[in-house]
Amino acid sequence: MPESNKHPLTIRLCQPRGFCAGVDRAIQIVVLALKKYGAPVYVRHEIVHNRYVVEGLQNLGAVFIEEIDEIPDEHRDCPVVFSAHGVPKSVPRDAAERALFYLDATCPLVSKVHKQAIRHHRLGRHVVLVGHAGHPEVIGTMGQLPDGAVSLIETEEDVARFAPADPAALGFVTQTTLSVDDTAGIVGALQRRFPAIQAPAAESICYATTNRQEAVKETAPGADLFLIVGAPNSSNSRRLVEVAERSGAKRALLVQRAADIAWDEIGPIRTLGLSAGASAPEIIVNEIVEAFRDRFDVTVELAVTATETEDFPVMRALRDVELTRADMAFVNG
Ligand code: SF4
């Protein structure tokens, strides 16, 4: 179709979007470990919740496993990387017992939440973790403390049902990737019901989650459609879809690749909001913009709501390996 026959479409592209410093660091750790030690490098759990990233790393020689006992004895010298979501204390302990060589890619901001939970426990408080059951970060945080030391709260209804042994000795932390607004509601309910409950010393929801939600909130009003690039098992991506819907986008959808877009169901749109969860690579955002350019006369407007400068260095063991642009081209384009 000639350019002039295409319908005009404004894409409001959120910034910040996509990779956060913790995800970037975790991917770098796998890439650097492959460069330094060669394949295979084992990775426990999806390093970040994104199929495209996982497949890219598999192509470089990473082997994804769910538990470290899947590593054969003859590969005990190969590194095993723990994912950015964090792991229960039992995992590094078991790895040490088997004399495995492990590299912990837990995001420093998740480690901070672990420390806050441990601090509450040391001060004699029962820990309330606000988060989603079954999410690896929640499993990792609960696994920092003995069984029974942590109670998981998912909703305000859970707060109403919660019956702690000592309501005067409670402390809370939250998952890093929750909805800022929903969490404020749950924490408010906890504080009303248990006025003595102690907050963590620092906010648990991370800067990347907060900034991406804020950007979507500001960009969504009036958007005919809002697309969030991300995986169905990515907590922060799913929260962005909810934020877009609540903030005035007519429709909001999660997409993993341009090929997932059901073009015949999109209908007439003039304004598209576009963002990406913290585990979604920029190369897919570009792919989606190009797919719209093929069908619409696209104008891209950058919607900048914050500037991020966070950068988490990799562990010392990998700092002697040079990371080039080409090494990360599979995610950055
Ligand atoms: S979303 Fe936040 S906590 Fe999770 S890896 Fe990124 S920076 Fe770290």
Side-chain angles (χ1 to χ4, degrees):
M1 193 187 284
E3 199 71 16
S4 55
N5 290 343
K6 293 179 183 174
H7 292 292
L9 176 71
T10 301
I11 299 183
R12 294 185 195 152
L13 185 59
C14 292
Q15 188 164 311
R17 64 176 178 280
F19 277 5
C20 58
V23 161
D24 200 38
R25 173 178 179 269
I27 296 169
Q28 285 182 29
I29 287 170
V30 181
V31 171
L32 290 171
L34 283 160
K35 280 185 95 169
K36 180 161 178 172
Y37 306 107
V41 165
Y42 287 90
V43 183
R44 185 187 176 277
H45 192 70
E46 285 189 341
I47 185 79
V48 297
H49 284 154
N50 191 280
R51 202 64 235 151
Y52 179 91
V53 174
V54 167
E55 284 170 6
L57 291 170
Q58 278 171 330
N59 291 339
L60 296 176
V63 176
F64 286 82
I65 53 173
E66 278 310 307
E67 295 301 338
I68 54 174
D69 59 14
E70 294 168 44
I71 301 171
D73 272 342
E74 61 273 25
H75 281 178
R76 272 200 310 201
D77 291 345
C78 301
V80 53
V81 179
F82 302 152
S83 83
H85 311 99
V87 289
K89 273 213 162 113
S90 56
V91 172
R93 192 180 58 223
D94 292 351
E97 271 169 20
R98 274 194 72 195
L100 297 175
F101 168 37
Y102 66 85
L103 296 163
D104 188 351
T106 301
C107 174
L109 300 184
V110 173
S111 301
K112 207 155 123 186
V113 175
H114 291 176
K115 286 190 191 114
Q116 302 281 344
I118 292 166
R119 181 171 176 274
H120 282 317
H121 182 67
R122 281 210 186 110
L123 291 171
R125 300 170 190 152
H126 180 78
V127 178
V128 176
L129 169 61
V130 181
H132 297 298
H135 190 280
E137 185 185 321
V138 164
I139 294 169
T141 302
M142 293 186 85
Q144 300 305 304
L145 293 172
D147 283 353
V150 185
S151 296
L152 180 66
I153 293 283
E154 294 189 82
T155 61
E156 291 189 39
E157 291 72 45
D158 287 349
V159 176
R161 279 192 293 265
F162 182 44
D166 183 359
L170 295 174
F172 75 87
V173 290
T174 82
Q175 195 179 326
T176 58
T177 51
L178 299 180
S179 152
V180 172
D181 294 338
D182 289 352
T183 307
I186 295 170
V187 167
L190 277 170
Q191 288 170 328
R192 281 191 298 279
R193 185 138 188 251
F194 308 105
I197 194 167
Q198 297 295 308
E203 175 62 71
S204 304
I205 296 180
C206 77
Y207 80 96
T209 299
T210 308
N211 288 348
R212 278 150 194 68
Q213 288 180 19
E214 194 53 43
V216 169
K217 207 185 257 187
E218 290 208 11
T219 312
D224 299 310
L225 177 66
F226 213 112
L227 294 183
I228 303 294
V229 185
N233 58 346
S234 160
S235 171
N236 78 85
S237 304
R238 285 173 46 199
R239 301 293 81 76
L240 292 179
V241 174
E242 293 166 3
V243 170
E245 277 169 345
R246 288 178 194 169
S247 307
K250 289 187 192 133
R251 225 154 46 108
L253 300 169
L254 191 65
V255 283
Q256 300 202 65
R257 300 295 302 264
D260 298 339
I261 300 171
W263 296 101
D264 43 352
E265 290 170 22
I266 280 196
I269 56 169
R270 297 186 74 83
T271 308
L272 173 78
L274 183 59
S275 185
S279 45
E282 185 65 8
I283 201 166
I284 300 183
V285 175
N286 294 337
E287 173 188 282
I288 287 172
V289 171
E290 289 314 309
F292 275 92
R293 276 195 208 285
D294 289 344
R295 295 161 175 87
F296 293 86
D297 180 11
V298 166
T299 305
V300 177
E301 282 178 4
L302 209 52
V304 184
T305 50
T307 305
E308 292 181 345
T309 53
E310 286 75 3
D311 181 25
F312 302 145
V314 300
M315 60 278 292
R316 206 175 297 273
L318 296 175
R319 287 189 203 155
D320 57 344
V321 191
E322 194 195 351
L323 188 76
T324 65
R325 268 188 76 84
D327 293 328
M328 297 294 277
F330 74 106
V331 281
N332 295 332

